[in-house]
Amino acid sequence: EQLALHDGSRKDLPLLLAIVGEVYDVGTGSQHYGPEQGYTLFAGSDTSRGFADMEEVEELKGSDKLSKIKDLADDGFGSVLGWRTFYR
């Protein structure tokens, strides 16, 4: 997957994350999303589900289930969309 190349491990590529299929450059937040930082699990992938429940990011990392939000409760779905608005 192309997005996986943008996890911060390569300094010559932008640091990216995706929410509900939309890709965002989070390079200005590398102190949060870069390698070995608190939110590094979000970088280089679509971890939409993790924006509702961060514990699921660690459990499901590498799985396409992290990009699926259809089965989230309303508050979880709202949380994901709220983060998407933040990054826009």
Side-chain angles (χ1 to χ4, degrees), residues 2-46:
Q2 285 188 331
L3 187 57
L5 296 173
H6 299 272
D7 65 356
S9 60
R10 289 188 49 187
K11 300 297 181 200
D12 61 322
L13 296 174
L15 182 59
L16 305 175
L17 63 76
I19 302 175
V20 194
E22 293 182 18
V23 178
Y24 302 96
D25 184 335
V26 293
T28 59
S30 61
Q31 70 274 21
H32 305 292
Y33 301 101
E36 299 183 30
Q37 301 304 314
Y39 297 101
T40 192
L41 293 172
F42 288 95
S45 60
D46 185 335

Side-chain angles (χ1 to χ4, degrees), residues 8-87:
S9 60
R10 289 188 49 187
K11 300 297 181 200
D12 61 322
L13 296 174
L15 182 59
L16 305 175
L17 63 76
I19 302 175
V20 194
E22 293 182 18
V23 178
Y24 302 96
D25 184 335
V26 293
T28 59
S30 61
Q31 70 274 21
H32 305 292
Y33 301 101
E36 299 183 30
Q37 301 304 314
Y39 297 101
T40 192
L41 293 172
F42 288 95
S45 60
D46 185 335
T47 54
S48 298
R49 193 174 193 85
F51 287 93
D53 183 356
M54 190 165 168
E55 289 180 11
E56 287 198 58
V57 176
E58 292 190 35
E59 290 174 26
L60 299 173
K61 186 67 178 175
S63 164
D64 68 343
K65 291 179 183 177
L66 272 174
S67 63
K68 311 292 187 235
I69 61 170
K70 224 175 175 178
D71 64 329
L72 288 175
D74 288 344
D75 60 335
F77 190 75
S79 179
V80 171
L81 296 182
W83 279 105
R84 185 181 68 173
T85 299
F86 170 80
Y87 288 106

